[in-house]
Structure formats: structure tokens, C-alpha cells
Amino acid sequence: DDIQLLRRLSLDLRGTVPTVPEVLRVETNPQELNVLRDEFMEDARFKDRMVSFFSEQWHTTIDVFDVVYFDYHLDPEEEYTFERSVGEEPLRLIAHVAALDLPWSETVLADYTLANQMLMDIWPLEAQNETSETSWFQAKYTDGRPPVGLLATNGLWWRYTTDDSNMNRSRAAAISRLMLCEDILARPVSFSTLELEDIGTGDASSATLTNPSCLACHSTLDPMASTLFGFWWLSLYSTIEETSYHPEREALGEEYLQTESAYFGEPVDGLADLGPMIANDPRFYSCAVETMAKAFWRRPITAE
């Protein structure tokens, strides 16, 4: 009924039950439900709810990153703030877009990120609004990374890291899963016994370029992974390497992976083109709906 719906709206959008005056408003006039819904989305707590919802599915708020608090000479008491700040950076950008009712494409086209004072102190950032009274505010990276919103955040790529053999493929898979709801790693790929023997005794990297079963995933993953080498480190666990973007390394992707940069078969010119390609992909928007439906309904989403 109306009061139950009011309670559900308030819990979902603000994380708290409605007040007595709000209940009385709906009891007097059920049309107030729509007014209150809009008011809830203008409440400061709405951003925190968006952070919570996406954190459940994006899993960026973890307690261990490759670089840890003492690498920045922070005090032990600042450890939680450090970890939470890093993990929330991409989620805060999502919440900012949602709360201001900006186009969803802004999440992959923005020339800014969201930062708090902790991140301002340790990362190459400059605030866009010096008079901001909020704990999270718009800021710009100053290290030459392209304006591609979430795709240019340290917080996302510190969570979805890579290694010398994976070469950003796991990061490309994360983009597909989180932003398009297409889990490449869940594709039903079958290998014959002979194929497995060939891969086991030969060069695995060449198999990803020639073996039909390998290509089922790698033909999509590798061209996208090659766009992410600005975030490639020469030495893992290094604040110098992981703090900043490295534009001079962008060309390493095509060299290391032996494939031209592309987005699902469409050629791109590095990371700068990846954001617009995602923004023009219908799956990007349907995935946002699916992600929010899963968050509100509290259950997995299936075709049925």
C-alpha cells in the first residue's frame, strides 16, 4: 500500500525509514509519494546509497591494495580512511552522476573524478571547486590521462589489477562485466584434448592469437586490453608506478599483445576512444538498468 511503498522508497533511496510528517503527507494525499521520491533523491544520503549499491556489485571497497597506506607514509590510524577512499573513488563518480541526473554517458566521458582530501594529498589531483563544503568533490588528474571518467580512475584499476602474463586482459574483462553486463569469462568455450596438449607444451601467447578456442575470448579481450597500458607498471607495488598514469606507455599494448586496439571489433585509438565507444554501446545503458534492478530487488536478474 501507499505507506509500505513510502517506507520502501525511503529505505532504498536514503537508507532510513520515513519520518512521521512524511507519512502524514502520504496519508493525506497519496500523490505526495512522487514528490517525496524526488525529494529523497535530492537528499545528501542518496549519494551514499548509490555508493553502497554499486559497491556490492563492483567490489572496489576492499581492505588490501597493491600499494598500502604506509607506502605514502600515512599513520596507522589513517589506514581505513586510505582504503575506503581509494575504493570509493569510482563509486563516488557514479553517485555524482546519479544524484545530479546527468546523462549516464558522463560516467565514461567525464574529464574529472570525485576525490576527498585524502586522495588530494597523495595522488596527482587538483580540485575543480576550491570552495566545496562536501567531503567528496570534483577533481582533475594532472598526469595526462584521457577524459574517460571511470576508465581513468586509480580506484578502479587498483582493484582490478593485472600481472606480467595477464597484461590487462582481466581489466578488459572487468569493463565488459561491470559496464556491459557481458561476462566474457563465462562464455562456454570447449577445448579438445589435443588443443590442451598443444597449449601445454607450446607457447601460450601464440595460442591466444591462433587457436580458435582461445580466440573465442581473446579476440575480444586482447584488443581492449591493449588500450589500458597507460596504467601498466614496470614495477608492481610501487607508489611511483601505480599513483600516476603513464601516457608514454600507451603504445606498449599493441606491441606486447600483438594485436591492434579495438572495441568488440571496432578499431580505436587507445584509451581516449574507449570511453566514447562504450557510451555509444546500447549494452552500457541496459546494464545500468540491470545493475540497479539487482540492487533494488535484492536478487539476481535473469531473462525470466
Side-chain angles (χ1 to χ4, degrees):
D1 61 27
D2 292 338
I3 302 304
Q4 288 176 317
L5 179 55
L6 171 65
R7 181 183 177 87
R8 179 63 181 270
L9 284 168
S10 183
L11 285 168
D12 277 347
L13 301 178
R14 299 187 302 181
T16 185
V17 295
T19 64
V20 171
E22 290 167 345
V23 171
L24 293 175
R25 283 172 61 182
V26 173
E27 287 180 337
T28 303
N29 180 11
Q31 295 302 315
E32 284 291 296
L33 267 174
N34 291 336
V35 178
L36 283 165
R37 177 202 60 202
D38 294 343
E39 290 178 7
F40 294 164
M41 288 191 287
E42 294 173 0
D43 190 297
R45 290 168 289 186
F46 175 68
K47 291 183 179 179
D48 291 334
R49 294 298 290 156
M50 293 298 103
V51 168
S52 177
F53 284 144
F54 277 86
S55 176
E56 292 174 0
Q57 299 183 56
W58 283 45
H59 302 158
T60 58
T61 50
I62 59 176
D63 57 3
V64 177
F65 295 100
D66 291 337
V67 175
V68 293
Y69 73 95
F70 53 76
D71 291 319
Y72 287 103
H73 309 289
L74 298 173
D75 293 330
E77 303 84 58
E78 297 178 287
E79 178 183 4
Y80 175 79
T81 303
F82 166 77
E83 292 159 353
R84 190 75 184 198
S85 299
V86 172
E88 282 195 11
E89 183 205 2
L91 309 178
R92 288 289 169 183
L93 178 53
I94 291 173
H96 171 81
V97 169
L100 295 186
D101 199 22
L102 299 172
W104 189 244
S105 57
E106 184 84 354
T107 59
V108 291
L109 297 177
D111 63 351
Y112 58 87
T113 185
L114 268 286
N116 59 10
Q117 194 56 52
M118 167 70 76
L119 299 183
M120 294 293 298
D121 291 341
I122 62 175
W123 286 351
L125 291 163
E126 61 180 15
Q128 287 193 310
N129 184 1
E130 297 291 351
T131 61
S132 174
E133 297 179 356
T134 61
S135 58
W136 286 87
F137 42 84
Q138 286 184 222
K140 249 184 184 177
Y141 281 99
T142 59
D143 54 8
R145 63 187 71 194
V148 286
L150 294 167
L151 300 170
T153 58
N154 280 358
L156 185 62
W157 300 131
W158 279 30
R159 167 59 181 86
Y160 294 98
T161 187
T162 187
D163 59 32
D164 288 326
S165 61
N166 181 262
M167 294 189 192
N168 287 325
R169 294 180 177 104
S170 59
R171 288 171 165 171
I175 290 173
S176 182
R177 179 173 59 85
L178 299 175
M179 299 184 183
L180 307 177
C181 292
E182 181 170 335
D183 190 350
I184 293 176
L185 302 184
R187 289 180 177 178
V189 179
S190 298
F191 291 90
S192 70
T193 305
L194 290 176
E195 285 177 329
L196 290 174
E197 290 177 353
D198 290 342
I199 295 172
T201 58
D203 180 5
S205 61
S206 64
T208 64
L209 299 172
T210 58
N211 185 289
S213 297
C214 295
L215 283 169
C217 292
H218 283 275
S219 61
T220 298
L221 284 176
D222 291 18
M224 201 187 315
S226 73
T227 69
L228 301 171
F229 273 75
F231 289 101
W232 182 254
W233 30 255
L234 299 181
S235 175
L236 190 56
Y237 312 115
S238 164
T239 54
I240 296 174
E241 292 290 312
E242 296 216 28
T243 297
S244 298
Y245 185 77
H246 305 279
E248 73 280 1
R249 298 177 190 167
E250 291 176 350
L252 291 176
E254 295 188 359
E255 178 183 343
Y256 284 7
L257 294 169
Q258 301 176 54
T259 184
E260 294 184 357
S261 299
Y263 177 79
F264 290 91
E266 292 289 331
V268 296
D269 187 15
L271 182 59
D273 281 356
L274 192 60
M277 292 296 288
I278 293 175
N280 288 320
D281 190 331
R283 293 174 296 178
F284 179 55
Y285 303 94
S286 61
C287 184
V289 175
E290 182 175 327
T291 300
M292 288 311 306
K294 190 184 298 183
F296 284 135
W297 294 345
R298 317 303 301 172
R299 62 175 183 267
I301 304 301
T302 64
E304 292 76 15

